[in-house]
Amino acid sequence: MAPPAACAGRPGCGPLDIIFDIFKYLYVVVPSGLQALKADLFRALGHPARIRILELLTSKERTVQEMQDALELDQPVVSQHLAALRARHLVTARKHGTLAYYTLRSRLVAELLRVARELLGHRLTESQSMLRALRREKHR
């Protein structure tokens, strides 16, 4: 395999260097299995309705109808979001008669939501501080 004409005579541009660059690119760009799982988790959390569903479930188990009423969403929409959350093992369902009761699969989901609220609270506090500083600057 001859190096491309653009590489002729340049150090670090031989066939092995090109192959190493490709492997370096693959190593950096392709996420590990764990990173892919984390990304999938955050994609599942990336919809406001799913966050609201999880927040509802932090206090107690609920039926689809209860969530539908609380969220003011249609049943197919709630069911679709619940299916996405079940697929990521964030919620679980138990049947009782004709009703399905949903609950968080782990209390760690509630903890994740709490940490997210805390993180956003810090960010908003910082924004408020900057806004106050800007207003004080305006009055000078």
Side-chain angles (χ1 to χ4, degrees), residues 38-52 54 81 84-85 88 90 112-113:
K38 287 178 184 178
D40 189 52
L41 168 67
F42 284 106
R43 269 193 300 280
L45 298 174
H47 195 287
R50 292 184 195 148
I51 297 292
R52 291 172 62 203
L54 293 172
H81 288 300
L85 294 170
R88 272 72 172 204
L90 296 172
L112 180 62
L113 294 171

Side-chain angles (χ1 to χ4, degrees), residues 52-102:
R52 291 172 62 203
I53 288 169
L54 293 172
E55 288 173 341
L56 281 174
L57 295 175
T58 60
S59 58
K60 66 177 187 172
E61 69 178 5
R62 297 178 190 263
T63 64
V64 174
Q65 181 65 49
E66 290 172 327
M67 288 184 271
Q68 185 182 331
D69 293 343
L71 301 170
E72 298 178 349
L73 294 173
D74 293 332
Q75 183 272 328
V77 174
V78 173
S79 293
Q80 183 179 29
H81 288 300
L82 285 167
L85 294 170
R86 264 193 334 269
R88 272 72 172 204
H89 305 281
L90 296 172
V91 300
T92 188
R94 71 171 178 85
K95 289 275 191 177
H96 185 72
T98 59
L99 298 176
Y101 288 86
Y102 285 85

